[in-house]
Amino acid sequence: MRRALGCLLVTLTPATALAQTVEQFRDDLRQRIRESHYPAFLGTFAGLASDGQMSLGTLEAEDGTELTMFALPWQHDYKASDSTPSLRLSASIGYSRARNRIDDLWDGALPGSETGLHSRYEAWAFDFGIGPIVPLPAAFTFVPEAHLGAAYIENTSYYTGPGAQLSSSLLDGLLFNWQQGSLSYGASFALEYNGWETPSVKWMPSLRYDVRQSEPVFVDDPGLNVESTQQWLTARLAGTGPIAATWPFPDANWRLSFGYRRLLGDSARPMGFEDFYELGAGLEWQMPDALPLLSTATLHGALQLGEDVTGWTVGVSVTF
């Protein structure tokens, strides 16, 4: 995120503003936003929140950005009859937050008007997907899905220092302190392997490519009314099996997961990292018949490790 802001603010500084009116400066900034990777950051930030393919949690990028991402995914394979193909229905609700602190927005370009910044981005996002499950030779399946989603994103920022009032008049509503709603549409293409399965243990490798187009439906300023495209690749190996009866949790199953996420194209540049690995483990219980709406409950944890990002998550999830 800091990378995306830096590219904008280095080219347009308060020194430029001194030779312009506030509105002239803001008009220039609107144009720079349209030409920058800033809209791609907003789309990727919201899209990953509702992806649901990896645990995520608390991430810290090398540039100092702190990210928190949670998703509640749901998936169901539906087959109406033996003569019709199976369909996969998926949905996910997610929340993401990014926080950043900058000592001087203008990096010393205007002595006497230094401005510190504390900024928080928050996104609430929803994604729905549907597509056929296509059997392939050698226990492979191919699952193309069409996706439709929506997101609400807002930024809350606080300025400090002698240049706080000037920075607020120049940047509020464009880079900071704004609200935005957007719709997204796109597709995912997953290749899955079902051949590593015994009566008690199952391993499921998968490779999935996602692409989304985000279009704002309401913005605080026309400068943020910019379409963007997000792309990412996810590789996962998930396994589950019963725990030995001698363990303290004889009715539980173990779960292990190994994942890799790579952001592609414009999605990677403003986020501060391009890829990372995730290692996860957990315990899964079948829910009793007294709770008919719930299927399983899982206690899990995961670590995320990458060249430019690290993170972790611990939590409880349920399936319906």
Side-chain angles (χ1 to χ4, degrees):
M1 181 179 71
R2 185 175 294 182
R3 193 177 302 173
L5 294 175
C7 291
L8 286 167
L9 297 178
V10 164
T11 54
L12 279 173
T13 67
T16 308
L18 294 179
Q20 299 176 317
T21 66
V22 169
E23 279 308 312
Q24 286 173 333
F25 180 91
R26 289 173 65 85
D27 283 342
D28 286 348
L29 183 55
R30 289 185 184 98
Q31 184 60 35
R32 298 300 180 107
I33 289 174
R34 296 186 184 99
E35 298 170 353
S36 74
H37 299 297
Y38 187 67
F41 161 73
L42 301 180
T44 302
F45 175 65
L48 294 181
S50 61
D51 171 66
Q53 294 298 299
M54 298 181 72
S55 301
L56 295 178
T58 300
L59 305 175
E60 184 170 351
E62 192 178 57
D63 68 359
T65 302
E66 296 179 1
L67 295 158
T68 301
M69 296 184 178
F70 296 109
L72 181 63
W74 172 84
Q75 180 178 295
H76 179 67
D77 294 344
Y78 173 75
K79 189 174 181 65
S81 66
D82 292 339
S83 60
T84 59
S86 296
L87 283 179
R88 175 161 298 174
L89 306 175
S90 62
S92 184
I93 299 173
Y95 166 80
S96 60
R97 181 183 66 202
R99 295 188 296 183
N100 206 305
R101 177 183 175 185
I102 300 175
D103 293 333
D104 182 12
L105 271 173
W106 312 108
D107 198 26
L110 190 60
S113 292
E114 292 82 2
T115 305
L117 178 79
H118 294 262
S119 189
R120 182 180 72 242
Y121 294 81
E122 292 183 284
W124 293 262
F126 169 79
D127 183 81
F128 174 78
I130 182 172
I133 302 174
V134 183
L136 299 177
F140 284 95
T141 57
F142 177 62
V143 187
E145 290 184 75
H147 288 262
L148 182 66
Y152 170 80
I153 315 171
E154 67 178 22
N155 175 269
T156 304
S157 297
Y158 303 93
Y159 305 97
T160 60
Q165 184 174 354
L166 172 62
S167 298
S168 176
S169 65
L170 295 174
L171 303 177
D172 275 358
L174 280 168
L175 290 184
F176 308 114
N177 293 317
W178 49 258
Q179 299 175 335
Q180 174 179 308
S182 63
L183 294 177
S184 65
Y185 56 90
S188 65
F189 304 92
L191 182 65
E192 301 172 350
Y193 181 66
N194 304 288
W196 294 347
E197 184 175 0
T198 70
S200 58
V201 177
K202 180 179 181 180
W203 291 95
M204 174 70 77
S206 64
L207 180 66
R208 174 167 150 160
Y209 166 75
D210 283 81
V211 59
R212 302 286 191 276
Q213 181 78 10
S214 297
E215 296 187 4
V217 292
F218 70 84
V219 293
D220 281 356
D221 189 279
L224 293 175
N225 191 13
V226 183
E227 300 179 6
S228 63
T229 301
Q230 300 83 48
Q231 304 176 73
W232 59 89
L233 185 70
T234 308
R236 295 185 70 244
L237 174 62
T240 184
I243 294 178
T246 55
W247 279 49
F249 308 104
D251 297 328
N253 286 337
W254 56 263
R255 294 182 65 88
L256 294 175
S257 62
F258 307 91
Y260 173 73
R261 165 67 52 79
R262 184 170 187 87
L263 304 178
L264 304 173
D266 289 344
S267 299
R269 295 171 187 169
M271 290 296 291
F273 59 91
E274 293 185 352
D275 62 354
F276 61 87
Y277 295 87
E278 180 176 275
L279 309 176
L283 297 175
E284 179 185 87
W285 289 268
Q286 294 293 321
M287 300 303 290
D289 295 337
L291 299 172
L293 295 180
L294 301 180
S295 175
T296 63
T298 303
L299 173 66
H300 62 89
L303 293 175
Q304 292 88 26
L305 304 169
E307 182 178 355
D308 299 312
V309 65
T310 57
W312 60 274
T313 184
V314 175
V316 176
S317 63
V318 296
T319 60
F320 298 88

